[in-house]
Amino acid sequence: MGARRRAARHGSDRRGAGLLRPARLRPADVVRLGGTGLRTRPLRVFLSALGIAIGVAAMIAVVGISGSGQAEVDRRLDALGTNLLRVSPGETLAGGEAELPPESVAMIRRVPPVRQVAATGATGAHVYRNERVSPGRTGSLHVLAAGSDLLPAVGGHLRRGRWLDSTTEKHPAVVLGSTAAQRLDVYTPGTRVWIGGRWFSLIGVLDPVPLAPELDSAALVGRPVARTYLRFDGHPSTVYVRAEDSQVASVRAVLAATASPEKPGEVKVSRPSDALAAREATESALTGLLLGLGGVALLVGGVGVGNTMVISVLERRGEIGLRRALGATRGQIRTQFVTESLLLSLIGGLGGTVLGTLITAGYAVSRDWPTVVPAWASAAGIGSTLVIGAIAGLYPAVRASRLAPTEALAGT
């Protein structure tokens, strides 16, 4: 009895040893199988990968252009210096607009670490192309009284013509900021413009002033002529202060009390970098919106990948049935189609990364900016495409693995 049991068990072991076991696929085999499905349908693969590429390119271009613009701003700030402080009137306790004393500029100049001081004063006048323009159509342009010391203090440069000096500031002469000249369509020195009910002669046009952008939309006249013709009262509206680099913080701390000893609480002191930080925050909000649109485009590309994989499963039922009949497991079928989806998404991600980088470089070169494409943006673009590819390919892969060999072969 025991001998028969041992013989039966020995025969069972021999039969079990003769059963076929599915071969394990190596990583190279998995990649080769996934690539086969892509090579047989090149046009469909191209169109699906293009949807992914557009989304990734949009994301990288938005981040790259924003980063390039910020790098250009930083470069200009480094060239111009960040030791410029701006003093301006704040609000009175009653909520009205305060005024800086006329002697504030002279008092600030006495502070030892201060190297340069210059001021502008609002005149209340506006500049027009000619006397026939309606007074209400100011174009948001204003007229400021200024002196010969203003341009060096703010790091400004002339695009053409000359700046105010001891001779021109006593006569009806005007220098236009870059935006003002563009809106008035006046660039040639010697052209006349209408200010405060009389003609002024244009003597110069400024380049954009990054550290004092309010000057871009202004018409600048000398203080003596502003008092004579434009009723300038002598109160400065903005005082620009250049201090020693190592003493900027200490100078900033005493400027309010120095400019207006009686009412220091009604004085505002800021740095150009503060305004640039606020502008950067606004641009960051816009960048977030554009990144959201790029994400939507990426999601649409993922839907296209999923659609391609579903159609691929339906078209390749015979192939799936044959592989199952030859011993392929459900896990191997799932791995094959998920790999195919990942390869398709990777192609789109790499193409989108290259396209986004080229767009950023082209735009930066056209604006004479440094080209900046953060590494994290490229990594995030490719990583997101792989995640989307895995999700998009999961359902078609599971569906393919559930096809029985007889059912798949019968449908061909």
Side-chain angles (χ1 to χ4, degrees):
M1 187 74 170
R4 285 200 299 271
R5 287 179 179 174
R6 285 194 297 271
R9 187 162 51 249
H10 181 67
S12 176
D13 291 342
R14 284 187 297 175
R15 287 192 300 272
L19 292 177
L20 294 176
R21 294 183 180 180
R24 297 184 62 181
L25 295 177
R26 295 174 299 177
D29 298 327
V30 173
V31 174
R32 191 179 301 111
L33 280 173
T36 301
L38 300 182
R39 289 193 300 269
T40 55
R41 297 164 181 82
L43 181 59
R44 185 181 299 167
V45 168
F46 171 77
L47 294 177
S48 299
L50 182 62
I52 291 284
I54 291 174
V56 174
M59 294 176 64
I60 291 179
V62 168
V63 175
I65 291 174
S66 176
S68 299
Q70 184 59 43
E72 173 65 11
V73 172
D74 293 340
R75 185 180 67 82
R76 290 186 180 182
L77 280 176
D78 290 340
L80 296 173
T82 55
N83 61 343
L84 178 66
L85 300 170
R86 181 187 287 108
V87 181
S88 58
E91 292 185 353
T92 63
L93 295 177
E97 185 176 354
E99 287 184 335
L100 293 176
E103 61 273 12
S104 58
V105 174
M107 291 189 295
I108 292 174
R109 190 173 282 116
R110 297 172 186 168
V111 178
V114 171
R115 297 191 305 186
Q116 290 177 296
V117 182
T120 59
T123 65
H126 296 282
V127 55
Y128 303 95
R129 180 67 179 83
N130 53 57
E131 77 278 14
R132 292 186 294 275
V133 179
S134 172
R137 299 178 61 183
T138 64
S140 300
L141 305 179
H142 46 280
V143 181
L144 300 177
S148 57
D149 52 359
L150 176 63
L151 207 58
V154 298
H157 299 280
L158 283 165
R159 180 181 301 176
R160 61 182 62 181
R162 58 186 295 189
W163 177 240
L164 300 169
D165 54 31
S166 57
T167 302
T168 56
E169 67 181 3
K170 298 176 183 179
H171 300 280
V174 60
V175 176
L176 294 179
S178 59
T179 302
Q182 181 180 6
R183 292 180 183 174
L184 295 173
D185 194 24
V186 174
Y187 300 96
T188 306
T191 306
R192 298 191 305 169
V193 294
W194 188 254
I195 301 176
R198 65 176 296 116
W199 291 105
F200 278 65
S201 179
L202 178 68
I203 62 171
V205 176
L206 296 179
D207 277 328
V209 185
L211 296 183
E214 63 275 8
L215 300 181
D216 294 342
S217 57
L220 302 160
V221 300
R223 291 193 191 95
V225 75
R227 292 191 184 96
T228 303
Y229 300 112
L230 305 179
R231 300 176 184 177
F232 175 52
D233 58 8
H235 290 275
S237 56
T238 305
V239 181
Y240 301 94
V241 182
R242 287 274 188 181
E244 294 181 8
D245 293 339
S246 60
Q247 300 294 323
V248 171
S250 59
V251 171
R252 186 180 186 185
V254 301
L255 275 181
T258 304
S260 182
E262 296 181 358
K263 301 176 181 179
E266 298 180 357
V267 179
K268 295 190 300 183
V269 181
S270 62
R271 300 178 64 178
S273 55
D274 298 335
L276 291 171
R279 186 176 67 181
E280 182 180 354
T282 303
E283 292 176 349
S284 297
L286 178 60
T287 299
L289 174 62
L290 295 176
L291 283 176
L293 295 177
V296 171
L298 192 59
L299 181 61
V300 172
V303 172
V305 171
N307 182 58
T308 298
M309 297 309 300
V310 170
I311 295 175
S312 180
V313 169
L314 295 176
E315 291 181 345
R316 297 161 65 185
R317 291 167 62 95
E319 175 192 337
I320 296 170
L322 182 60
R323 289 203 63 217
R324 289 299 310 279
L326 292 176
T329 64
R330 290 185 175 183
Q332 291 174 345
I333 298 296
R334 285 195 298 268
T335 302
Q336 174 187 349
F337 280 90
V338 169
T339 302
E340 186 172 325
S341 178
L342 287 174
L343 289 175
L344 178 57
S345 299
L346 181 61
I347 293 172
L350 292 175
T353 301
V354 173
L355 181 60
T357 302
L358 291 176
I359 292 173
T360 301
Y363 187 84
V365 169
S366 69
R367 301 293 298 272
D368 198 21
W369 291 355
T371 302
V372 177
V373 180
W376 66 263
S378 301
I382 295 176
S384 61
T385 60
L386 293 177
V387 172
I388 288 177
I391 295 174
L394 188 60
Y395 169 72
V398 171
R399 181 172 178 175
S401 67
R402 289 180 178 176
L403 288 175
T406 54
E407 178 187 351
L409 291 172
T412 59

